[in-house]
Amino acid sequence: MAQKPSIPKGTRDFTPAEMARRNYIFDTIRSVFHLFGFQQIETPAMENLSTLMGKYGEEGDKLLFKILNSGDFLRGVDQKLIEAGECPKLAGQVCEKGLRYDLTVPFARFVVMHRNDLSFPFKRFQIQPVWRADRPQKGRYREFYQCDADVIGSDSLLNEIELLQLIDEVFRRLKINITIKLNNRKILAGIAELIGEPDKIVDITVAIDKIDKIGLENVKNELRERGLSDESIDKITPIITLEGTNEERLEKLSQLLSTSEIGLKGVAELREVMNGTERLGLKAKLELDVSLARGLNYYTGTIIEVKAQDVEIGSITGGGRYDNLTGVFGLPGVSGVGISFGADRIYDVLNALNLYPNDITGSAKVMFTNFGVEEAARSLAIIKQLREAGIACEIYPDSSKMKKQMGRADSLGIPYVAIIGETELANNTVTLKDMITGNQEELSVDNLITKLK
Amino acid sequence: MAQKPSIPKGTRDFTPAEMARRNYIFDTIRSVFHLFGFQQIETPAMENLSTLMGKYGEEGDKLLFKILNSGDFLRGVDQKLIEAGECPKLAGQVCEKGLRYDLTVPFARFVVMHRNDLSFPFKRFQIQPVWRADRPQKGRYREFYQCDADVIGSDSLLNEIELLQLIDEVFRRLKINITIKLNNRKILAGIAELIGEPDKIVDITVAIDKIDKIGLENVKNELRERGLSDESIDKITPIITLEGTNEERLEKLSQLLSTSEIGLKGVAELREVMNGTERLGLKAKLELDVSLARGLNYYTGTIIEVKAQDVEIGSITGGGRYDNLTGVFGLPGVSGVGISFGADRIYDVLNALNLYPNDITGSAKVMFTNFGVEEAARSLAIIKQLREAGIACEIYPDSSKMKKQMGRADSLGIPYVAIIGETELANNTVTLKDMITGNQEELSVDNLITKLK
């Protein structure tokens, strides 16, 4: 009995048309990474579970895809766990490896393992798939690509300026209008210090992060529920409702946070990054957004988030500065700053706005028809010359009916069809048909090459 | 306690230097695939186990990496299997998914699922990693890349000729001298028919496949052990010891197999493929090798194997024609022909012969030094112009000691260092140091761009 095949839920096949569009995105990002001096690494799809577990919180541990040990995986397993049906603990005994959940933890592991061979500051990029056993839904997949660039081993704010330039360049090339939102974790710390509740920084940040979604009054209510006094809320309100230009906001912030050393440091860092970036010119809009938090427990300085201006969608790129990437693997004090492009969301934005160039079908530029042995032999000889000139081409392999052959070129979006029949054989020419206009012309091989190049 | 990190055995990290070399190989193969009109697809890393199991033999089933079901994976599991320690059967109950083992089975599954959206003949290529729980050893990994190109839905021998041209072009670009060995499964069938033992084709093929390794006498002994009569062995001997040019071998073969219809068909196909390919000119050496078998149970026509001429290593590319790729998934009668480049072995060959171009470090072309705020600001502005001209560059992010900064450029193989100090600030120039010759020259920005482009 033949099986009716399917693929695991939350995963995707990519057809040639989809691959052409995805490669356009990946190639653009990769080119810009190179242009900015980032160097590529790759890590294995599988990591030891000891590397992955405990790095993404309790929920994250559950979302790791675990790989069953080969062979006699039950040997040495605690029978009581089986009897009690203790699946999570049992999983740790029958599995040693898991699929990577993001690129950050494998990168940290990589840095520690290869630290003696790396030149610091280390500017790495990495474009690989990651896997999460999330519940699949629209726009959320169990296998998706991350495109990360990080500079580690340098706390210079020049790195932030370079990364913002890099983001601007990627989206300029992709023709997506973006707003880059910026914040600094030290400003959030300053706010907590200002109201004398430094240990409430998480509560405060979680609440104000929602201001775009739920509005000021609801944020105030939430702050109240989280135990802040009305006085504290009054102090916070002008900070989270800042208006005006970025310079005006920075000015206002330094007044409001004038009693907090860390807060002022955050403002100074943000000013240096924003001014340094704007001095170089950006196509993107740069916006100071004090409510921006993103992975608070991870970032320690600059926080970056990118939104598309013309499509309603979550952030399409994000990142920030961290102080202790590799500490958990025994190498403390490595500061770094990084960004991650969300390739799948960028794909959705490009699709929604139809921003792809016309010529990215991934198909050959010209298809030669096939009317028989002699015609095909002549075609192959000419095809060889075309390929030497860098022109992608193919021949219809069978001498099928004309209509069927033309249909192939049509459905693949091949822009030209080259026809060699009796006349062309005799004249030593090729008739080239433009599949868009329908125009045909008989050309010498030299002219054919010139025309298609 | 910090962990000492490691990666699963049989897997590898790739450093920037290694990535640059690997990308050189992948980019070369990908470019040639495009040039020949092949279109890229990708399939998920995970397939349903029902798709994978039973496709690679019993041994293959054991080598599949299986992914433990999420959540309460013990629910509904047959307790008796646990008590009996029946790991293989139990694995099938606690795992629904596995990592792909090759690109062929996922491709067959893809074709069946997407058959209504594809244009046949379908020329696809696919470059993705595969995973096998093999015992790791030198040159054998648990994660490695395959680079496959197939044409399906056409039985024209033009496809073989195109694929041989493609192989020639890839290795011409990589500067590896190769011998392409060719055979045809129908010739092997003809040999079995000739001696009146058509059901001994596997035995015969397994034995004669070893002739290069064990020599003629041992092959004869093995044939004898496998139940062939001395008379049969005498009939086979002239076939497996063919000498002379390819044309002489073809001629001799058609005499020797004159009583076998299928054998003669094999000779005719091989002649058409070899003549058609040689007419177009090849850099590779083309060699008829009747002892070539490769995955006998799979191939039905042409069989292809590529060896490097200057390094002792197994085959670096292989392929052939098959008749029933998708039958197991309910779509019978799909003929195709494909090849697979062994990227890891090609990597070994290039390393052994040191055939990489000099400029594939994956690093920036120029690094700007950093002597302070003002110098860095000027550098960033110039860097922006360089990048607009397509020149990959970076700035040392901290104003560290000169020696440390130069050390970075050196260790990354960055060929030029651009220095902006007091003099250059005043003159509005850049001093460019060639890191290979040690020469320095002071240049205007325009001249800098011209020089580096």
Side-chain angles (χ1 to χ4, degrees):
Chain A
M1 233 325 261
Q3 306 165 348
K4 192 168 178 244
S6 63
I7 53 175
K9 62 180 177 183
T11 69
R12 292 164 291 174
D13 281 329
F14 296 108
T15 62
E18 289 165 331
M19 279 307 297
R21 293 176 159 218
R22 289 172 67 81
N23 282 338
Y24 169 66
I25 297 170
F26 290 128
D27 290 347
T28 301
I29 294 172
R30 194 182 296 114
S31 303
V32 177
F33 283 163
H34 271 301
L35 199 59
F36 280 71
F38 285 82
Q39 295 194 300
Q40 190 169 13
I41 69 161
E42 281 188 5
T43 62
M46 299 184 281
E47 294 276 352
N48 291 323
L49 274 180
S50 58
T51 299
L52 301 175
M53 295 287 282
K55 310 302 189 297
Y56 308 103
E58 209 173 311
E59 194 53 33
D61 283 351
K62 285 187 201 153
L63 299 185
L64 292 172
F65 280 112
K66 299 171 187 77
I67 293 163
L68 190 67
N69 294 340
S70 298
D72 187 9
F73 56 86
L74 282 178
R75 182 155 43 172
V77 165
D78 187 345
Q79 284 298 320
K80 286 195 201 109
L81 290 179
I82 298 178
E83 282 155 29
E86 285 259 22
C87 283
K89 279 189 189 153
L90 197 55
Q93 297 204 355
V94 298
C95 301
E96 281 172 5
K97 296 179 284 290
L99 295 180
R100 75 177 154 248
Y101 180 87
D102 69 1
L103 301 181
T104 304
V105 168
F107 174 50
R109 194 264 311 139
F110 178 98
V111 169
V112 174
M113 278 179 69
H114 300 272
R115 61 183 179 275
N116 296 326
D117 305 319
L118 299 175
S119 170
F120 293 95
F122 181 42
K123 297 170 71 173
R124 91 82 166 80
F125 82 85
Q126 191 169 358
I127 300 179
Q128 290 192 279
V130 301
W131 295 270
R132 296 181 185 178
D134 251 322
R135 192 182 300 274
Q137 49 179 267
K138 194 181 175 316
R140 191 198 283 167
Y141 303 102
R142 292 185 150 189
E143 175 180 60
F144 58 97
Y145 271 80
Q146 292 192 333
C147 312
D148 285 17
D150 291 77
V151 189
I152 61 160
S154 162
D155 55 12
S156 163
L157 295 175
L158 274 190
N159 297 306
E160 271 89 337
I161 294 171
E162 284 271 276
L163 285 172
L164 292 171
Q165 288 279 319
L166 189 159
I167 290 171
D168 189 57
E169 180 65 19
V170 164
F171 289 107
R172 197 186 58 70
R173 291 184 181 206
L174 294 174
K175 303 191 195 321
I176 298 176
N177 298 317
I178 55 160
T179 299
I180 304 177
K181 296 187 173 194
L182 285 181
N183 195 10
N184 191 301
R185 168 71 153 79
K186 299 190 177 83
I187 290 176
L188 296 169
I191 294 172
E193 201 176 83
L194 176 70
I195 58 171
E197 309 244 30
D199 49 329
K200 281 235 153 56
I201 178 164
V202 174
D203 288 287
I204 296 168
T205 313
V206 168
I208 67 179
D209 196 22
K210 298 180 185 166
I211 192 163
D212 282 348
K213 281 195 193 135
I214 63 175
L216 179 61
E217 283 314 308
N218 287 317
V219 168
K220 285 186 178 179
N221 290 338
E222 184 162 335
L223 287 169
R224 211 166 282 126
E225 280 162 25
R226 287 172 182 269
L228 261 70
S229 68
D230 284 347
E231 189 193 359
S232 295
I233 293 172
D234 286 346
K235 275 191 184 165
I236 288 176
T237 305
I239 298 178
I240 61 175
T241 57
L242 278 181
E243 290 193 343
T245 65
N246 287 329
E247 192 45 49
E248 286 164 0
R249 291 183 198 198
L250 284 166
E251 198 45 49
K252 195 77 184 286
L253 262 184
S254 41
Q255 290 163 21
L256 292 165
L257 294 173
S258 60
T259 57
S260 162
E261 192 183 335
I262 190 164
L264 287 177
K265 181 141 181 21
V267 175
E269 286 185 9
L270 207 44
R271 176 177 273 128
E272 188 175 336
V273 169
M274 296 187 91
N275 289 353
T277 306
E278 279 172 342
R279 199 180 302 132
L280 292 166
L282 277 192
K283 187 171 180 303
K285 189 177 162 215
L286 213 57
E287 184 182 304
L288 193 168
D289 181 352
V290 178
S291 72
L292 182 64
R294 283 188 77 85
L296 173 83
N297 297 314
Y298 183 66
Y299 294 125
T300 53
T302 307
I303 304 173
I304 303 167
E305 186 168 277
V306 178
K307 306 272 274 186
Q309 287 176 6
D310 307 317
V311 182
E312 273 300 323
I313 199 166
S315 81
I316 53 179
T317 291
R321 178 169 285 281
Y322 42 83
D323 268 351
N324 196 13
L325 178 73
T326 54
V328 69
F329 296 118
L331 187 66
V334 175
S335 179
V337 55
I339 53 171
S340 182
F341 289 89
D344 286 289
R345 281 200 180 155
I346 293 171
Y347 182 69
D348 290 345
V349 171
L350 288 174
N351 283 333
L353 301 174
N354 198 15
L355 290 178
Y356 294 100
N358 288 326
D359 57 348
I360 53 151
T361 59
S363 296
K365 188 149 191 188
V366 54
M367 184 194 86
F368 279 68
T369 55
N370 182 343
F371 295 136
V373 176
E374 208 183 336
E375 291 87 345
R378 173 73 62 81
S379 293
L380 285 182
I382 297 173
I383 283 173
K384 193 173 183 208
Q385 293 179 60
L386 261 60
R387 286 181 183 148
E388 279 165 6
I391 300 159
C393 42
E394 62 167 48
I395 181 168
Y396 198 95
D398 307 276
S399 53
S400 310
K401 285 188 181 144
M402 182 73 162
K403 196 181 162 191
K404 194 174 171 194
Q405 298 193 33
M406 298 305 272
R408 172 182 176 79
D410 215 33
S411 75
L412 293 183
I414 296 175
Y416 294 99
V417 169
I419 301 161
I420 294 184
E422 270 180 45
T423 317
E424 291 83 2
L425 268 185
N427 297 347
N428 204 7
T429 54
V430 177
T431 293
L432 188 71
K433 177 170 180 163
D434 182 322
M435 292 297 282
I436 295 166
T437 64
N439 290 344
Q440 290 194 188
E441 51 183 336
E442 198 180 333
L443 297 167
S444 69
V445 175
D446 283 349
N447 287 342
L448 178 72
I449 291 174
T450 309
K451 167 106 190 175
L452 292 176
K453 252 196 120 163
Chain B
M1 235 325 261
Q3 305 164 346
K4 190 166 183 245
S6 63
I7 53 176
K9 63 179 177 183
T11 70
R12 292 165 291 173
D13 282 329
F14 296 108
T15 62
E18 289 164 330
M19 280 305 297
R21 292 177 160 219
R22 289 172 67 81
N23 282 337
Y24 168 66
I25 297 170
F26 291 127
D27 291 347
T28 301
I29 294 173
R30 196 182 294 113
S31 303
V32 177
F33 283 163
H34 272 300
L35 198 59
F36 279 69
F38 286 82
Q39 295 195 299
Q40 191 171 11
I41 70 162
E42 280 187 6
T43 62
M46 299 184 280
E47 294 277 350
N48 291 322
L49 275 181
S50 59
T51 299
L52 301 175
M53 296 285 282
K55 308 303 189 298
Y56 307 104
E58 210 174 306
E59 194 53 32
D61 283 351
K62 284 189 201 151
L63 300 184
L64 292 172
F65 280 112
K66 299 173 187 73
I67 293 163
L68 191 66
N69 293 340
S70 299
D72 186 9
F73 57 85
L74 281 179
R75 182 154 45 171
V77 166
D78 186 346
Q79 285 298 320
K80 286 194 201 111
L81 290 180
I82 298 179
E83 283 155 28
E86 285 259 23
C87 284
K89 279 189 189 155
L90 198 56
Q93 295 204 356
V94 298
C95 300
E96 281 172 5
K97 295 179 285 289
L99 295 180
R100 74 176 155 250
Y101 179 88
D102 70 1
L103 302 181
T104 305
V105 167
F107 174 50
R109 195 262 314 139
F110 178 98
V111 169
V112 174
M113 278 180 70
H114 300 273
R115 62 182 178 274
N116 296 325
D117 307 320
L118 299 175
S119 171
F120 293 94
F122 180 42
K123 296 171 71 174
R124 90 86 168 77
F125 81 86
Q126 190 170 356
I127 299 178
Q128 291 193 277
V130 301
W131 295 271
R132 297 182 184 178
D134 251 323
R135 190 181 301 273
Q137 49 177 267
K138 191 177 178 319
R140 190 198 284 167
Y141 304 102
R142 292 185 152 191
E143 175 181 60
F144 58 97
Y145 271 80
Q146 292 192 334
C147 312
D148 285 17
D150 291 78
V151 189
I152 61 160
S154 163
D155 55 12
S156 163
L157 295 176
L158 274 189
N159 298 305
E160 271 88 339
I161 294 171
E162 283 272 276
L163 285 172
L164 292 171
Q165 289 279 318
L166 190 158
I167 290 171
D168 189 57
E169 180 65 20
V170 165
F171 289 107
R172 199 188 57 72
R173 291 186 181 203
L174 293 175
K175 306 192 195 318
I176 298 176
N177 298 318
I178 56 161
T179 299
I180 306 177
K181 296 187 173 194
L182 285 181
N183 195 8
N184 192 299
R185 167 71 151 80
K186 297 189 179 84
I187 290 176
L188 297 169
I191 295 173
E193 203 175 82
L194 176 70
I195 58 172
E197 309 242 31
D199 49 327
K200 281 236 153 61
I201 177 164
V202 173
D203 287 287
I204 295 168
T205 313
V206 168
I208 66 179
D209 197 22
K210 298 181 187 164
I211 192 162
D212 282 348
K213 282 194 194 134
I214 63 175
L216 179 62
E217 283 315 307
N218 288 316
V219 168
K220 283 186 179 180
N221 290 338
E222 184 163 336
L223 287 169
R224 211 165 283 125
E225 279 162 27
R226 286 171 183 268
L228 260 69
S229 67
D230 283 347
E231 190 195 358
S232 296
I233 292 172
D234 285 346
K235 275 190 183 167
I236 288 177
T237 305
I239 298 179
I240 61 177
T241 55
L242 279 181
E243 289 193 345
T245 66
N246 288 327
E247 191 46 47
E248 286 163 358
R249 292 183 197 198
L250 285 167
E251 198 46 48
K252 195 77 183 284
L253 262 185
S254 39
Q255 290 163 19
L256 293 165
L257 294 172
S258 60
T259 57
S260 163
E261 192 184 335
I262 190 163
L264 288 178
K265 182 142 181 18
V267 175
E269 286 185 10
L270 206 45
R271 177 176 272 128
E272 187 175 337
V273 169
M274 296 187 90
N275 288 352
T277 307
E278 279 173 344
R279 198 180 303 131
L280 292 165
L282 278 192
K283 186 171 183 300
K285 186 175 166 220
L286 212 57
E287 183 181 304
L288 194 167
D289 181 352
V290 178
S291 73
L292 181 65
R294 282 189 78 84
L296 174 83
N297 297 313
Y298 183 65
Y299 293 125
T300 53
T302 305
I303 305 173
I304 303 167
E305 186 168 276
V306 178
K307 305 273 273 186
Q309 288 176 4
D310 307 318
V311 183
E312 272 301 322
I313 198 167
S315 83
I316 53 179
T317 291
R321 178 169 285 280
Y322 41 83
D323 268 350
N324 195 13
L325 178 72
T326 54
V328 68
F329 296 119
L331 187 66
V334 175
S335 179
V337 55
I339 53 170
S340 182
F341 289 90
D344 286 289
R345 282 202 181 152
I346 293 172
Y347 182 70
D348 290 343
V349 171
L350 288 174
N351 283 334
L353 301 175
N354 197 18
L355 290 178
Y356 294 99
N358 288 327
D359 57 348
I360 55 153
T361 59
S363 297
K365 186 149 189 185
V366 55
M367 185 194 86
F368 280 69
T369 55
N370 182 343
F371 295 136
V373 177
E374 207 182 336
E375 291 86 344
R378 172 73 62 83
S379 293
L380 285 183
I382 296 172
I383 282 172
K384 193 171 184 209
Q385 293 179 62
L386 260 60
R387 286 179 183 149
E388 279 164 6
I391 300 158
C393 43
E394 63 167 49
I395 181 168
Y396 198 94
D398 307 278
S399 53
S400 309
K401 285 189 181 145
M402 182 72 163
K403 193 179 165 195
K404 194 173 172 195
Q405 297 193 34
M406 298 305 270
R408 171 183 178 76
D410 215 31
S411 75
L412 292 184
I414 295 175
Y416 293 99
V417 169
I419 301 160
I420 294 183
E422 270 182 45
T423 318
E424 291 84 2
L425 267 185
N427 297 349
N428 204 10
T429 54
V430 177
T431 294
L432 188 70
K433 175 168 181 164
D434 182 323
M435 293 296 283
I436 294 165
T437 64
N439 290 345
Q440 291 196 187
E441 51 181 336
E442 198 179 335
L443 298 166
S444 70
V445 175
D446 283 350
N447 286 343
L448 178 72
I449 292 174
T450 310
K451 167 109 190 172
L452 293 175
K453 254 195 118 162

